[in-house]
Amino acid sequence: MNLYQRLDNHLQRNADGFGPIRGTLSTPRIGMIWLAANFVVTTLLTGTLFIPGINFGSAIWLIVIGTLVGAVVLTLIGNIGTRTGLPTMAITRGAFGTRGSLLPVAANVIILMGWSWVQAMLAGVTVNYVVAQLTGFSNPILFAVLCQALVVCLAILGHEGIAKVEPWLAVVILAIMVYVFITAFTTFSPAEFGQIGVDESLGYTSFVVLDIVIATAISWTVLSADFNRLAKSSRAGIVGSGIGYTLSTVLAMSLGATAIGYVILSGGQPAEFDPTVIVAAFGTPLAIVIFMSVMATNTMVVYGMVTSIVNAQARWKLRFLPTALVVGAVSIAGSTWMALLNQFTDFLVMIGAFFVPVFAIMIVDYYIIKRRSYGRDILREGGGKYWYTSGVNWAAIGVWLVGAGASYALTYVWPSPVGATIPAFVLSFLLYLGLSIKSRARFAGERAGHLAEQPAAAEDAQSSSRGTAE
């Protein structure tokens, strides 16, 4: 048996293929995974967008408040993964139907692929800057490809490998971030940061900043159940991911705001979404943070794409390793598209439009309509409680379209003074609740249980469904 076959078999035995996973990780381990995951260059650079658009002190408070609000959605979706053992996109079958779930799955893969490209490019630009300073050689596309190739190698290790690698990356990243904060606040006082002049022409208000911070949490929620299903209990998943995500986001965005404030106070000029500006100010240590953060985050992103595809439909019978190799190849090729960096804020808007309604629908469906329980029918190829109408829950699809349209309209057509994320979430939540509340009685008395507890029964359900008439 060659190396490929041994690795393929190992990944399948360790539940990196289709189906639920029984989690074993403690609160600290889950916390460290999320801590490493969101110490990411995109989150850091998002913080640089706020200064000098608004006051430095206000930016820090809005980062904290927006992160806490977003973390509520992230942990609620993640907890469904812990309780069922399924990744985020597999859970969408509960609300959208066995076939209807393919729509959010497709959107998820497209968006995660975009994330992987953006982060690989930013890592490539950063590494290229350092190498160019030392040697004079410059080729950002080459370094972006090399960074993403390393990410793919890490992702192929599966969830066990990620659980081992991520905590160590978190420790190193956190240590260097402490150094950067100390450098910034021993050079300039907090009062001096607070006195940085506000440039209102940039168009940032408190609500706009809050909306961007919450949208960042929504963008991470697509992976919440993928990793929280590895938690040994709901408490471990909720507390670990809540603390890990909140701490990493607040630190990363605050670091970005601090770093760009340092540049301004030092007499430099801020530049939107350009890591080389702050790397030039803090040197190689910050470049190491950016590089390692991409390794940590993009590994999770590539893994999330693969699990979404593998778990999309039982009848496809996809295996983890070959799927990871194909997805990885596409992610490496796309990391050469440097023009995408100029569209990052529009990219965040697209994520919000796609997934704010999805997560509102999922929370209503699982916690209210289905009474915190998804049965083994969710693993079936056809028929059962989640088949709805020919495999599609048209109420969920309709609400999703309305919510996504509202998010887009409130951003570009009739700009909302309170942003688009919260209104779109509330609208989708209430609309789906109103359309589905009458079906709640059908799920009274259904036992809540982890789907990995009786795998044989789930397999029997899949087998019996093959003859279901459509």
Side-chain angles (χ1 to χ4, degrees), residues 17 25 45 69 75 77 88 90 99 110 141 159 193 199 203 210 225 245 253 275 286 383 407 412-413 431 443 448 463:
L25 299 185
L45 291 179
V69 172
T75 54
I77 297 296
T88 310
R99 289 175 170 169
I110 292 170
I141 293 177
H159 76 272
F193 277 91
D199 185 354
L210 187 66
Y245 173 80
M253 281 195 186
L286 189 55
S407 181
Y412 293 112
V413 183
L431 186 56
F443 301 96
S463 299

Side-chain angles (χ1 to χ4, degrees), residues 58 184 303 334 387:
S58 299
Y303 178 81
W387 189 242

Side-chain angles (χ1 to χ4, degrees), residues 244-261:
Y245 173 80
T246 300
L247 183 60
S248 61
T249 302
V250 170
L251 285 175
M253 281 195 186
S254 298
L255 181 66
T258 301
I260 204 66

Side-chain angles (χ1 to χ4, degrees), residues 435-457:
L435 292 173
S436 305
I437 192 65
K438 289 184 178 180
S439 66
R440 186 172 187 268
R442 291 166 42 200
F443 301 96
E446 185 160 322
R447 186 181 69 87
H450 197 285
L451 298 179
E453 291 176 350
Q454 296 179 322

